[in-house]
Amino acid sequence: MRRTKWLALGMAMAPFAAQAEAPDDAGEVMAAASIVVTGTGLALPPGTPAYGSVKIDRDRLEDAASGRIESVLADVAGFQQFRRSDSRASNPSNQGATLRALGGNASSRTLVLLDGVPVADPFFGYIPFSALVPDRLALVRVTRGGGSGAFGAGAVAGTIELASATRDQMPHFGASAFYGSRDATELSASIAPDLGQGYVSLSGRWDRGDGFQTTPRDQRVAATVPAAYDSWSTNLRAVAPIDATSEIQFRGTLFQDNRTLRFAGADSMSQGQDASIRYISRGRWQVDALAYLQARNFSNIVISSTSFRKSLDQRNTPSTGIGGKIELRPPVGEDHVLRIGMDTRFATGDMYEDAYNAGIATNPLTSRRHAGGDQITSGIFAEDDWSPDVFGGKLVLTGGVRADRWSIRNGFYKAVSAAGLVTQDSSYANRSDWAFSGRAGALYHVSDAVALRGAAYSGFRLPTLNELYRPFVVFPITTQANAALKPEKLKGVEGGIDLTPASGVQLSATLFYNRLDDAIANVTLTSVANTRERQNVNAIVAKGVELTASAQLPANFSLLASYAYSHSKVDAPGMAFDGFAPAQVPRHSASATLAWAPKAGPELSATLRYTAKQYEDDLQSDVLPDALTLDALARLPIGHGISLVARGENLFDEDIVTRNAGGSIDLGTPRTLWIGVRFGQ
């Protein structure tokens, strides 16, 4: 009943809610006598570069050796998930995204938007990477550092903005088919016909594989199996004009992802049905409005690593996300771009799981558990970008403020024995408060070749329903939930320089200092063996430098490179891990892609990535060694829109340790080779 009520409310509010800023550089100029449909959002305000960002264009998205968006995001040094695995060989609930070496506990500290819609799972906070197909995107913009503005709540480590491909970027019909190592297949197709003065695009992808052994050879047993995966997603997008300056955009996505990890029967499933509708007006009063609805589910079976029987069946975790936003840009003069608006996000979810006694051959049921709750965050914001005439247009000042009202309600945890006796029945007090945040920045163009920038910002993130109410086990560690968790609060400053020393060459350097107060971490308990609990620690302090470079070189070569050095530590006076690096945070990370792409003929690219060692846990007792990997892609056009494509992942066949719990180790993707064909007309 509770979920039905909120679903009805979400559909009722759809015409009035609205959208976040689209990561799109195109500001189409529209003649009054003609209709131009773009399928994009409003143009970025002029002060956006003050906060620094890295842009990944469509060519790079289409040339990923793995074909997966999380691998492309690794081009941005400092991007990381909770574990180093990709979406073929990781539990979906581990796939939170973070930046700036702030660590994490599998929930995203980075706000990920697709056409302005937050895509994180409403219950867990993870990102469904397998449903975000690179071929469907026009570009990705990654902004490291806290955010404000639209949907600012949750952007404590930064924002990753994904924009769907537009009509001119998509073939009328496209398809690809790949075959890879370990009997893996990847099939995709898309069609994008014009529809009146608008267009529709329908795309689908299915990939599966027998998977690789995530378990080192000396730790395998009879029950050990490869990390098999089988996933599909389909996406429908429609754009239709209303008049010469406004349009409606609709998007619907369906996906399902099935994986098996480490042991036979250790199966997980995640699925989703997402829909959004967006109104864009580029008239004198510009409007960007959006409403969205998400229905998600997750299930997972945990297999005992000693008896290899089922110990836990997380059989059902339905969740719903509803939200929307309206942004107005009133005409306030050529020197100013003023943005005012409001947004809201609602999340509700339940966890149903059954525990079993894996030590007995009959594997009897011991208890049934049910937990869940609701969250809502509603905010108002105002932001202005000012280009004063006194500096000849060389200076841009930007600043914004937000006020958010948040609440956590209806939290509960109930456990019932196999005999039907209630063993725990906890209801948690409702909580609510206001959170105020803001940001300010300046961009000064010293010359055509040199620009200086600086920014300061604050932000906050609510604990997810998963962090509040769901305990979990990854042998041999049990991690307890904590219904009393407080929101995380970030304060940060940064300064940088952008250089264009020659045509086609761009260099950027950023120094940053971020402090995340009340950071949520998985804390090892000294009183109970092999047990951790989610707790607020005093702070995580991260400081460092980020370098990026891009260059168009002679003879049709191009180079993209990124490096991040992060000195991150936990500030937890009196705790055993005070002064330690946060779990899962490397000090160094780097990526470089060299490509050769003549106007006609074959194309080649190679990507080298390095990640320094990091630690599995808060006490720095389990090390994840550093890793150096090489990916490559070759494309040979053979005419009529057909190309042969060869891809290679981890060509060095590096052992990538993704988990180390007291010596129980999981490994990442080994050398993987693909051959396939791609068509587009």
Side-chain angles (χ1 to χ4, degrees), residues 519-592:
I520 298 172
N522 296 335
V523 175
T524 300
L525 303 180
T526 58
S527 57
V528 185
N530 292 328
T531 302
R532 298 174 186 157
E533 183 184 51
R534 298 187 181 101
Q535 295 182 7
N536 292 106
V537 301
N538 188 53
I540 292 175
V541 178
K543 52 189 175 183
V545 60
E546 297 157 344
L547 306 176
T548 60
S550 65
Q552 296 297 319
L553 304 173
N556 299 306
F557 282 93
S558 63
L559 175 68
L560 297 172
S562 180
Y563 167 75
Y565 166 79
S566 305
H567 187 275
S568 184
K569 67 177 184 178
V570 179
D571 178 20
M575 305 292 285
F577 49 85
D578 182 38
F580 287 7
Q584 308 291 337
V585 171
R587 183 156 292 190
H588 303 272
S589 59
S591 175

Side-chain angles (χ1 to χ4, degrees), residues 277 320 607:
I277 188 168
T320 301
T607 300

Side-chain angles (χ1 to χ4, degrees), residues 365-533:
L365 175 74
T366 58
S367 67
R368 298 187 185 276
R369 304 163 186 164
H370 181 201
D374 304 330
Q375 290 180 331
I376 189 166
T377 304
S378 299
I380 56 175
F381 65 90
E383 190 160 280
D384 184 49
D385 292 38
W386 179 34
S387 305
D389 288 334
V390 292
F391 292 95
K394 293 184 177 181
L395 176 67
V396 180
L397 301 175
T398 178
V401 293
R402 277 189 66 94
D404 286 277
R405 179 68 174 179
W406 62 264
S407 64
I408 300 172
R409 302 179 303 186
N410 303 320
F412 68 95
Y413 183 93
K414 185 175 182 179
V416 179
S417 71
L421 299 177
V422 176
T423 57
Q424 182 176 344
D425 192 357
S426 301
S427 296
Y428 305 107
N430 295 342
R431 294 184 282 155
S432 61
D433 202 353
W434 285 92
F436 299 92
S437 55
R439 64 178 182 176
L443 175 69
Y444 182 68
H445 293 276
V446 178
S447 66
D448 291 341
V450 180
L452 302 176
R453 52 184 165 79
Y457 37 77
S458 62
F460 82 103
R461 181 185 77 89
L462 283 184
T464 64
L465 297 173
N466 176 57
E467 292 169 317
L468 291 166
Y469 307 125
R470 173 184 170 264
F472 69 95
V473 178
V474 178
F475 181 84
I477 305 298
T478 297
T479 302
Q480 302 291 349
N482 184 350
L485 290 171
K486 297 181 290 185
E488 299 178 330
K489 301 178 290 294
L490 178 121
K491 298 184 288 290
V493 294
E494 63 183 70
I497 182 170
D498 300 322
L499 304 174
T500 309
S503 177
V505 179
Q506 295 179 318
L507 306 172
S508 177
T510 302
L511 295 171
F512 68 90
Y513 175 91
N514 284 185
R515 180 184 176 91
L516 185 66
D517 291 316
D518 293 322
I520 298 172
N522 296 335
V523 175
T524 300
L525 303 180
T526 58
S527 57
V528 185
N530 292 328
T531 302
R532 298 174 186 157
E533 183 184 51

Side-chain angles (χ1 to χ4, degrees), residues 73 76-80 97-103 109-110 142-145 156-160 514 542 546:
L73 289 171
V76 181
F79 167 82
Q80 63 180 119
T98 193
L99 297 158
R100 284 275 162 90
L102 290 175
R109 285 190 168 124
T110 299
V142 179
T143 302
R144 294 172 284 203
V156 293
T159 305
I160 298 173
N514 284 185
E546 297 157 344

